Amino acid sequence: MDEPSDKSTTSGSDPKPQRWWQWVLLYPALLLAAISAVPDWVDRALAVYYETSGNSFAEAEEQNTLWRRNLTCSAAPFAWYSNPENVKIDATICNSGDVFVRASTPKNEQFFKWIPVSEVIREEKGRNPIIPPANAQVYPRSAGDQLKYSVSNYSPTPVQYQNARVVCQRFLDQRRLVRHVQTPQGCFDEIIDTFNGAIINRQPTPCRNRC
């Protein structure tokens, strides 16, 4: 009578890992790939949570820092340049070397974008630093707290905006910047999301000397 075979082993094949740490020991590249992906996933999760309108969270934080570093420069006079698509562009070089870009579409939608001097001297492919995506209107201020804004129908023309003077500006919180702007036709307040340069609110208001 034949002896019963040992079913605990399989001839000619290695036992497969049964626990996660055995997989790590056999395939350390899996662990390295998982660890290297963590910062990217965290950044994406924060970008979704804060609704940064296409910017990564790191880019949004950088834009916020540039607004704060060059706040006086952002109020400097400017002049439009129109491209063939009738998009009006202005770029102001600040004392820091950073560049403040304004853009106005044919629909009178205004956008703002900072280009740090480090971006100019750094080679990086696949990035378009000029115009961010559409205006963000809703974003969380903190966990469990959302602030909602609706952009008013008031929108100054490019000519009015070019002849405008920023009387004052101040941060409402860590992200929102309010600017009181004076034009020959009157004054208005605008609130800018410094994470992506979008105007989240603009309202006509009586002219005044402080924000």
Side-chain angles (χ1 to χ4, degrees), residues 46-197:
L46 289 172
V48 171
Y49 180 76
Y50 285 103
E51 298 189 26
T52 57
S53 294
N55 288 351
S56 71
F57 186 70
E59 289 173 328
E61 284 192 312
E62 181 183 53
Q63 287 294 304
N64 181 271
T65 298
L66 291 166
W67 274 103
R68 294 176 180 276
R69 186 166 73 195
N70 302 287
L71 193 57
T72 301
C73 178
S74 67
F78 64 96
W80 291 120
Y81 166 81
S82 295
N83 72 359
E85 287 74 33
N86 200 30
V87 174
K88 293 177 171 54
I89 298 287
D90 171 81
T92 300
I93 302 176
C94 302
N95 290 334
S96 62
D98 302 327
V99 181
F100 183 47
V101 179
R102 302 168 178 86
S104 179
T105 70
K107 295 181 179 180
N108 286 345
E109 297 170 324
Q110 275 89 40
F111 300 93
F112 304 96
K113 182 76 174 182
W114 286 98
I115 303 177
V117 63
S118 59
E119 183 79 9
V120 177
I121 61 177
R122 181 180 63 201
E123 293 185 3
E124 187 170 358
K125 297 181 179 180
R127 290 192 59 185
N128 181 358
I130 300 300
I131 302 177
N135 293 8
Q137 297 184 22
V138 181
Y139 61 84
R141 179 174 56 185
S142 60
D145 181 19
Q146 286 192 338
L147 297 178
K148 297 184 179 181
Y149 297 91
S150 59
V151 178
S152 71
N153 293 327
Y154 175 73
S155 181
T157 66
V159 173
Q160 289 176 323
Y161 211 85
Q162 179 172 327
N163 294 327
R165 180 175 69 91
V166 178
V167 177
C168 60
Q169 48 189 352
R170 65 182 176 88
F171 276 89
L172 296 175
D173 51 32
Q174 291 299 314
R175 180 169 180 172
R176 296 175 302 161
L177 174 70
V178 61
R179 293 154 47 106
H180 182 63
V181 183
Q182 185 179 54
T183 75
Q185 290 74 27
C187 296
F188 62 89
D189 286 344
E190 61 184 9
I191 298 176
I192 298 172
D193 182 349
T194 61
F195 273 26
N196 53 38

